[in-house]
């Protein structure tokens, strides 16, 4: 417990982890980042690829709560982009005065200034309402937050294409239109 004393006073944390799911694939000298449409190679150290010589990853997450239960220390986190069972090596508090650098550039990884508009089909809205009542999770809000950032690879931009992703235990399908994304359906994934 003493190792975590004072951590609850921070809103965000750096999580250092191992890209455990890519260990068997090995590492690569160069990779093709999605930002460049998967066509242009850059050095692995000029990317956030999991195929690194040391397999170490770094992510900023929101600290929602710090709980002590049955001799366990549990951190409730938001904005996590890790796989289940990812081995965590270290955590550190995020310090806005030094971790955010004014005037920093992002090379080829630039984003548009405006978030993408997201709308939902009646079917998706009904599923989201039921899911929130049953699971206590606001699935539609999460979908909206993710899609506003346009998670499509650069090579797959353009209207008309349909995409999918799994969030929690739900398969989400959406279509890119000219000026927005339409969430078509949400289906619960069955185990097995």
């Amino acid at each position: 417990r003493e190792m975590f004393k004072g951590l609850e006073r921070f809103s965000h944390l750096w999580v250092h982890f191992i890209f455990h799911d890519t260990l068997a694939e090995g590492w690569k000298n160069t990779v093709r980042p999605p930002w460049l449409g998967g066509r242009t190679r850059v050095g692995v150290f000029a990317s956030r690829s999991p195929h690194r010589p040391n397999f170490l990853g770094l992510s900023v997450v929101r600290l929602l709560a710090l709980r002590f239960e049955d001799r366990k220390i549990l951190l409730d986190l938001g904005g996590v982009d890790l796989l289940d069972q990812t081995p965590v090596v270290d955590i550190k508090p995020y310090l806005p005065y030094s971790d955010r650098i004014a005037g920093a550039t992002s090379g080829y990884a630039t984003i548009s200034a405006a978030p993408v508009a997201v709308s939902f089909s009646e079917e998706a809205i009904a599923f989201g309402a039921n899911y929130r009542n049953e699971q206590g999770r606001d699935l539609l809000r999460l979908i909206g937050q993710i899609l506003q950032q346009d998670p499509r690879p650069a090579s797959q931009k353009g209207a008309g294409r349909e995409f999918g992703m799994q969030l929690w235990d739900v398969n989400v399908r959406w279509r890119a239109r000219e000026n927005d994304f339409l969430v078509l359906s949400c289906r619960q994934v069955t185990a097995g």
Side-chain angles (χ1 to χ4, degrees):
R1 275 179 102 132
E2 289 182 5
M3 294 170 48
F4 293 87
K5 184 177 180 181
L7 190 65
E8 72 282 353
R9 296 170 60 192
F10 292 89
S11 67
H12 290 78
L13 306 173
W14 286 108
V15 175
H16 302 255
F17 60 92
I18 307 270
F19 283 111
H20 70 292
D21 207 36
T22 59
L23 289 171
E25 298 172 28
W27 65 280
K28 315 244 185 309
N29 287 321
T30 61
V31 295
R32 294 181 178 143
W35 279 101
L36 298 174
R39 297 183 201 102
T40 305
R41 287 194 168 276
V42 299
V44 69
F45 291 125
S47 79
R48 293 201 171 189
S49 170
H51 300 283
R52 314 187 77 70
N54 58 20
F55 295 96
L56 291 177
L58 179 66
S59 185
V60 173
V61 299
R62 175 178 286 282
L63 178 60
L64 302 173
L66 179 64
R67 298 181 289 126
F68 302 96
E69 294 180 6
D70 300 326
R71 300 180 58 161
K72 292 181 182 176
I73 299 169
L74 304 172
L75 283 83
D76 294 335
L77 305 174
V80 176
D81 61 351
L82 309 176
L83 298 175
D84 285 344
Q85 305 300 312
T86 295
V88 173
V89 179
D90 195 8
I91 58 172
K92 293 182 170 82
Y94 177 91
L95 304 173
Y97 74 87
S98 65
D99 292 340
R100 183 172 185 266
I101 310 297
T105 60
S106 58
Y108 58 81
T110 58
I111 59 172
S112 69
V116 177
V118 178
S119 56
F120 296 86
S121 69
E122 288 183 21
E123 176 188 338
I125 291 170
F127 182 93
N130 288 337
Y131 192 83
R132 185 175 189 167
N133 288 338
E134 293 173 9
Q135 304 293 328
R137 294 174 163 172
D138 193 344
L139 178 67
L140 299 185
R141 181 171 179 250
L142 178 61
I143 293 169
Q145 289 172 338
I146 291 171
L147 293 185
Q148 283 179 343
Q149 303 305 312
D150 193 355
R152 298 173 298 166
S155 63
Q156 296 180 18
K157 303 285 183 180
R161 294 192 71 160
E162 192 171 310
F163 300 88
M165 65 182 164
Q166 184 172 327
L167 298 174
W168 296 314
D169 59 342
V170 178
N171 184 19
V172 179
R173 303 292 302 171
W174 80 92
R175 179 175 297 124
R177 301 190 296 191
E178 279 302 318
N179 299 310
D180 69 345
F181 292 144
L182 172 64
V183 177
L184 302 167
S185 65
C186 301
R187 303 254 192 285
Q188 203 144 12
V189 177
T190 57

